Amino acid sequence: DNNLRNRGKEALRNLRMVFQNPNDALNPYQTVGQAIGRTLKLLGEQHTVEDIRARVIELLQAVRLTPEYADRYPSELSGGEKQRVAIARAFAANPALIVADEPTSSLDVSVQAVILNMLKDLRAERGASYMLISHDLDVIAYLADWIAVMYLGQIVEEGQNADVYNAPSHPYTEALIS
């Protein structure tokens, strides 16, 4: 793959991405197992078909999906299920950092809560850090230890979660909270 040549396998393994729209993040012609398995083949330690299948199932269970999902196509999944698959794929290489761009914005409120709780649990279990990009400071405040607020491409406020969320000092931060 061109990405592997340009960035190096170690950089790709340590930095993974969860995109905003789960519909666009998955190849409609690949099963869930193939999508996650591809990451494992390229970046993981697993090499045999059996090892890859076992790891795919483990990752699906980590995002609270049953092993049967490995054989499903994206068109057979709800938005929340697609986002869980995208998160499982991001965790496939045991990354140090996962960049999540509006990871819950395209989901309804009840599914958002499930995804946020799952992200919190996965962080505790797997030790990866998150960089969350969102306009929803409630989402950020739920998961983040440190918040940086950007306005017109500049950081206008940053600090500990509670400091920024409970006592905003910039009008844009206040607007995001309200």
Side-chain angles (χ1 to χ4, degrees):
D1 265 332
N2 201 22
N3 282 340
L4 287 174
R5 285 191 295 274
N6 291 339
R7 291 203 183 115
K9 193 174 186 178
E10 193 63 27
L12 288 174
R13 182 182 293 126
N14 281 313
L15 177 62
R16 304 302 300 153
M17 179 89 185
V18 175
F19 294 97
Q20 180 175 0
N21 188 345
N23 291 319
D24 296 337
L26 299 172
N27 184 333
Y29 302 107
Q30 287 184 335
T31 65
V32 166
Q34 290 170 325
I36 298 171
R38 183 172 187 274
T39 299
L40 290 169
K41 286 176 196 168
L42 293 174
L43 303 174
E45 303 296 319
Q46 295 76 18
H47 299 291
T48 68
V49 173
E50 295 82 17
D51 288 346
I52 290 171
R53 179 72 179 186
R55 180 80 168 119
V56 165
I57 289 169
E58 176 192 326
L59 288 161
L60 288 173
Q61 290 172 330
V63 296
R64 302 182 185 123
L65 294 173
T66 61
E68 294 77 30
Y69 277 83
D71 299 319
R72 295 186 185 175
Y73 286 89
S75 63
E76 300 174 285
L77 307 178
S78 70
E81 290 168 338
K82 289 176 189 175
Q83 194 64 306
R84 290 181 198 200
V85 169
I87 292 165
R89 187 176 58 185
F91 273 98
N94 293 318
L97 176 66
I98 294 177
V99 178
D101 179 14
E102 300 276 6
T104 60
S105 67
S106 64
L107 307 173
D108 67 54
V109 175
S110 62
V111 177
Q112 283 182 6
V114 170
I115 296 294
L116 290 174
N117 286 328
M118 187 191 64
L119 285 169
K120 194 171 228 183
D121 292 346
L122 284 169
R123 179 180 59 195
E125 293 167 15
R126 310 233 174 200
S129 296
Y130 296 133
M131 178 187 292
L132 300 168
I133 302 164
S134 181
H135 290 90
D136 187 340
L137 275 190
D138 289 335
V139 167
I140 299 295
Y142 184 73
L143 287 172
D145 297 324
W146 185 265
I147 297 174
V149 177
M150 292 187 75
Y151 181 70
L152 299 175
Q154 300 292 317
I155 294 178
V156 294
E157 184 167 1
E158 65 180 306
Q160 294 291 326
N161 176 333
D163 296 338
V164 173
Y165 193 76
N166 295 325
S169 63
H170 192 274
Y172 185 65
T173 307
E174 290 178 4
L176 288 174
I177 291 171
S178 68

